[in-house]
């Protein structure tokens, strides 16, 4: 027979597990509903009460590829998000390394970086649009890549600085004594040591660029329009194509979900290190 203390611990464990399962269900239910919508017929989507058992169809997926040309939107998102992510990492890594070495003198600049990150994107939408229009950069990859880089660079620097500060100073000092230049220390010793941090930062930045909607809507039309914008086209004077919206949302979110799951351990490390040590 189980002792009272052991029975109490078992009851607490069961209660906590049940609570986490309920929270997980509430959190994941919108995504589950989106997946179901992608495979439903319109009549099943609008039926009340909602149907969880139905005959699945691929009409929504056929619609987004045949009628809207979803593949071009998807390719635009890949080009813009991947290029912006690589550019951000290339600039943020040496900047974060320098800030990690500056110690006290870098704090003021670091605070300026955070303030720049706090500015809401909608406040800069009009000037950014006017500048892009004057430069003839509307509806181009370059405009989106520059904007995404500018907005996500402060966050990447802040996050990477935590990883660089985690590297023991003895490593750098020993390399300097052995005759390495600062650039050689950074490239040959420090970068390999913070590779998990680079991956984690790259994942966060890629997700932010992939999901961005506001500037993509304002700065692009057809040539450089990204995947999130394709969903707008499924709402017209004839109604809302819920099946196509569900299919497009599933196609847009799936790469990010798979990518985040593969890099899960790096994401956890990035959250715990970059945020705590910032």
């Amino acid at each position: 027979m189980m002792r009272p203390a052991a029975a109490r611990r078992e009851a607490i464990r069961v209660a906590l597990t049940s609570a986490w399962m309920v929270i997980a269900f509430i959190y994941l239910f919108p995504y589950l509903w989106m997946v179901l919508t992608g495979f439903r017929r319109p009549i099943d989507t609008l039926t009340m009460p909602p149907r969880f058992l139905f005959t699945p169809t691929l009409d929504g997926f056929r619609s987004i590829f045949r009628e809207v040309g979803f593949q071009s939107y998807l390719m635009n998102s890949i080009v813009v998000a991947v290029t912006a992510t690589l550019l951000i990492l290339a600039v943020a890594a040496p900047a974060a390394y320098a800030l990690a070495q500056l110690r006290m003198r870098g704090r003021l600049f670091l605070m300026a970086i955070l303030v720049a990150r706090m500015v809401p994107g909608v406040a800069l939408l009009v000037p950014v649009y006017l500048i892009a229009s004057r430069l003839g950069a509307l509806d181009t990859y370059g405009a989106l890549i520059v904007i995404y880089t500018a907005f996500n660079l402060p966050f990447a620097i802040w996050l990477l600085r935590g990883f660089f500060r985690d590297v023991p100073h003895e490593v750098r000092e020993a390399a300097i004594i052995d005759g390495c230049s600062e650039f050689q220390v950074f490239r040959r010793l420090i970068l390999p040591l913070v590779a998990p941090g680079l991956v984690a930062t790259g994942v966060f930045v890629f997700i932010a660029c992939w999901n961005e909607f506001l500037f993509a809507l304002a700065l692009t039309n057809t040539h450089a329009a990204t995947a999130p914008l394709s969903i707008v086209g499924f709402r017209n004077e004839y109604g809302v194509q819920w099946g196509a919206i569900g299919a497009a949302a599933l196609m847009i979110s799936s790469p990010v979900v798979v990518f985040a799951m593969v890099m899960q351990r790096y994401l956890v490390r990035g959250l715990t290190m970059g945020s705590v040590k910032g």
Side-chain angles (χ1 to χ4, degrees), residues 8 58 61 79 105 114 118 142 148 185 189 193 207 210-211 216 227 235-236 241 246 249-250 270-271:
R8 187 167 55 253
L58 296 177
F61 294 90
V79 171
R105 288 177 294 174
L114 287 182
M118 293 175 187
Y148 291 176
V185 173
L189 294 178
L193 291 176
I207 292 174
W210 184 270
N211 293 330
R235 181 176 182 179
N236 50 41
Q241 302 178 48
L250 180 60
L271 282 172

Side-chain angles (χ1 to χ4, degrees), residues 44-201:
D44 295 325
T45 302
L46 301 176
T47 299
M48 291 299 294
R51 291 180 181 175
F52 289 92
L53 296 178
F54 55 89
T55 303
T57 177
L58 296 177
D59 289 345
F61 294 90
R62 297 190 187 97
S63 176
I64 63 174
F65 284 105
R66 291 178 181 176
E67 300 176 11
V68 183
F70 182 74
Q71 58 274 19
S72 62
Y73 291 94
L74 202 59
M75 182 56 64
N76 291 342
S77 282
I78 294 173
V79 171
V80 172
V82 171
T83 306
T85 301
L86 295 177
L87 186 59
I88 290 168
L89 291 179
V91 177
Y97 175 69
L99 286 172
Q101 299 301 324
L102 284 176
R103 300 292 179 180
M104 295 300 293
R105 288 177 294 174
R107 289 186 179 275
L108 182 61
F109 182 67
L110 206 58
M111 290 302 297
I113 288 177
L114 287 182
V115 171
R117 186 67 177 87
M118 293 175 187
V119 176
V122 68
L124 303 175
L125 187 60
V126 173
V128 166
Y129 177 85
L130 293 177
I131 293 173
S133 178
R134 292 290 181 86
L135 296 176
L138 291 177
D139 205 16
T140 62
Y141 292 151
L144 289 182
I145 291 171
V146 170
I147 294 301
Y148 291 176
T149 301
F151 269 87
N152 291 288
L153 190 59
F155 171 73
I157 293 175
W158 179 266
L159 195 58
L160 281 175
R161 177 176 172 270
F163 287 99
F164 282 117
R165 293 192 66 182
D166 198 40
V167 178
H169 292 284
E170 290 78 8
V171 175
R172 173 179 173 272
E173 293 171 357
I176 294 293
I177 293 174
D178 289 339
C180 292
S181 64
E182 196 69 58
F183 179 73
Q184 289 174 327
V185 173
F186 172 72
R187 185 173 62 87
R188 295 181 179 179
L189 294 178
I190 305 300
L191 274 185
L193 291 176
V194 299
L198 288 172
V199 174
T201 306

Side-chain angles (χ1 to χ4, degrees), residues 81 85 152 200-212 255-257 259-260 267:
T85 301
N152 291 288
T201 306
V203 171
F204 283 122
V205 170
F206 177 80
I207 292 174
C209 295
W210 184 270
N211 293 330
E212 204 284 329
V256 177
V257 173
F259 190 41
L267 290 175

